[in-house]
Amino acid sequence: VAASGPLEGVVEGPYKRQAFQAFVLTYAAHTSIHLARKAFAASHEELEDYWGFDAEFLGILDTTFMIAYGIGLIVTGQVSGYLDPVMHLSFGLAGTAVSLALFGMSALIGIKGQNYAWYLIIIILFALFQSVSIPVSVWVVSGWFSHDSHGKVFGVWSTTAIVGNLLGLATASLIAFFSAENTALLQMLLIPSFLVLVMSLLIFYFLQISPNAPAPSPAEDSVPIADALAVPWVKTYTLAFSCVRTVDVSLFFWTVLYLHESLGLSAGDAALVAMTYDGGLMIGGFFTGYITDNFGGTRSGMFAVSLILAATTALGTGYGQLVAVVAVTIFLLGINMGGPVLLMPTAVAADLGLNSRKDVTRTIVGIIDGSGSLCAALGQLAVGYASGKLGWTTVFLLLAGLLLVGSLLCLSIYMVDVDRKFELVNTDDYVSDEERVHEDTACIANTNSSGGDSGENNNETAVLISRDSDSSAEPAAGTRRRHIRHASG
């Protein structure tokens, strides 16, 4: 079932185009969500100047958003298994667009800027609708691509957040530059809303689900969160990503202020230096995925090493005195953080879903990403306190400590995985790579020949891989069990 070229791992035949289309549509949809989110964040100055919001209430809005988003991810992962994925994703995008538009048009419909309860309700809805996107999108994309290509595929797909943030900032800047002052705020919120709504319609009409994906199950058959947590390594990765996500969000919110206060950079120059972190994330995410897919490395082992290096560069950033040195350390910090930040809630979650006989991928994505967002929201309170009372050096010491904890958690996964592989290689059940390939080919041929209409079975048969050990890791030769399943279930 492997295809060569940029769509390596996609089911061949008539499905290659649909796989590429699914990748592009979900990429554009999730990018539009981050564009809208960043445009809203960029409108804070206008909200202060024209609507009378103070900095304290804006901080409450941001914290409320992150908490609601984290809870929404966990809930979405739980309920999405018995909802039609196309309808669910389209509905989430449409709700995101409508809630942001309502926020922007509040003054037009007679709701004054001091009506804080209204804005808190809208921002909660804005977060909950957005939380639909990533669990469903990861499930859709992973259904089209084989396990062996998840690292590369999601290394690229996960750049949606970075690309969306850059596009959102550019959109807000252009609107502020070309629009009249009294209309800029409305356009900053309505134009991104329109873009997200367009993506909702494109998803609804053009997104296709892999024919090998399981159909939505009845509500009574949904996978409980406890069952998803029982899948090997889900809890460990959830804790590790909570540490990583807290550091990532802290760098996102506080790096510009740190550069301004500690190194005396202007806001514009500090923003440019901070952007090197995003560039490093994109590079690190792709190469971590590529290496673990193609060279037999384990994701957990790569994450452990990357996070140790990230902790070192975080300390270098906190103790740096020269702008050039700090710019380099921030870029290296992004490279080292890229793999864990971008792949844990996507490629790793998709891999872990293969450890269960139930369709738990969306639930696992929600647990890992949602828990990380909740911890990150609470972590910002600690960062804000430490930066004001204890100094920026202490902040970066705390961030480095979190990265080391994440590294140790990933290392524990890696060590157990290595032990299991070593034990398996020394048993009589070991199967070599050549034997595995011949067995898989024979199984596919036998399944197609015994199914009646061989032409139909050729299109509907897929090799499903499951593993006894860390499913985020590329297994040693012969450690995989083979299962054949028809698309019809």
Side-chain angles (χ1 to χ4, degrees), residues 306-318:
S306 296
L307 292 175
I308 291 175
L309 295 175
T312 303
T313 50
L315 291 175
T317 301

Side-chain angles (χ1 to χ4, degrees), residues 8-309:
E8 180 181 358
V10 179
V11 179
E12 282 192 309
Y15 300 135
K16 181 181 268 191
R17 179 183 62 81
Q18 287 91 330
F20 179 75
Q21 182 173 298
F23 181 93
V24 171
L25 283 173
T26 54
Y27 186 97
H30 201 61
T31 297
S32 71
I33 282 181
H34 281 278
L35 184 154
R37 189 187 303 179
K38 188 63 176 181
F40 174 77
S43 69
H44 281 16
E45 183 178 347
E46 281 73 17
L47 290 173
E48 285 185 301
D49 294 341
Y50 297 104
W51 286 16
F53 286 12
D54 55 30
E56 181 179 358
F57 181 65
L58 289 173
I60 292 174
L61 279 180
D62 290 338
T63 303
T64 301
F65 171 86
M66 292 190 65
I67 293 174
Y69 182 69
I71 294 173
L73 283 168
I74 297 173
V75 174
T76 295
Q78 170 71 17
V79 304
S80 61
Y82 53 87
L83 298 175
D84 178 87
V86 174
M87 292 289 292
H88 194 195
L89 181 55
S90 180
F91 176 76
L93 290 164
T96 299
V98 171
S99 56
L100 183 59
L102 278 176
F103 195 104
M105 294 189 296
S106 296
L108 298 180
I109 59 179
I111 299 176
K112 303 301 182 182
Q114 298 299 319
N115 194 340
Y116 288 159
W118 164 262
Y119 295 106
L120 285 172
I121 293 172
I122 293 298
I123 207 67
I124 290 172
L125 292 175
F126 185 53
L128 293 177
F129 282 120
Q130 286 186 44
S131 67
V132 171
S133 179
I134 192 165
V136 178
S137 296
V138 169
W139 180 84
V140 170
V141 173
S142 65
W144 283 111
F145 293 82
S146 74
H147 161 75
D148 294 334
S149 65
H150 280 175
K152 295 188 291 292
V153 169
F154 286 110
V156 175
W157 191 92
S158 298
T159 61
T160 49
I162 300 168
V163 174
N165 289 338
L166 294 175
L167 292 176
L169 186 59
T171 301
S173 299
L174 290 173
I175 291 172
F177 182 78
F178 288 106
S179 302
E181 290 186 358
N182 59 340
T183 63
L185 175 59
L186 184 62
Q187 294 181 51
M188 280 184 185
L189 301 180
L190 290 186
I191 290 177
S193 298
F194 175 75
L195 294 175
V196 176
L197 185 61
V198 169
M199 286 311 309
S200 172
L201 295 174
L202 291 175
I203 289 291
F204 180 79
Y205 285 108
F206 298 108
L207 181 63
Q208 298 184 45
I209 306 301
S210 169
N212 295 314
S217 59
E220 59 271 16
D221 295 335
S222 63
V223 179
I225 292 178
D227 287 359
L229 288 171
V231 173
W233 303 127
V234 169
K235 287 179 283 192
T236 309
Y237 267 121
T238 298
L239 292 173
F241 185 69
S242 295
C243 296
V244 171
R245 182 63 172 160
T246 300
V247 175
D248 177 57
V249 172
S250 299
L251 293 170
F252 178 81
F253 281 118
W254 298 95
T255 299
V256 172
L257 182 61
Y258 159 69
L259 294 171
H260 174 69
E261 291 186 352
S262 296
L263 301 181
L265 295 180
S266 65
D269 291 340
L272 289 175
V273 173
M275 284 176 62
T276 61
Y277 174 76
D278 292 329
L281 279 179
M282 296 177 70
I283 296 172
F286 175 77
F287 278 103
T288 299
Y290 182 84
I291 290 170
T292 54
D293 278 351
N294 288 279
F295 297 102
T298 65
R299 301 202 211 284
S300 55
M302 282 287 294
F303 293 162
V305 174
S306 296
L307 292 175
I308 291 175
L309 295 175

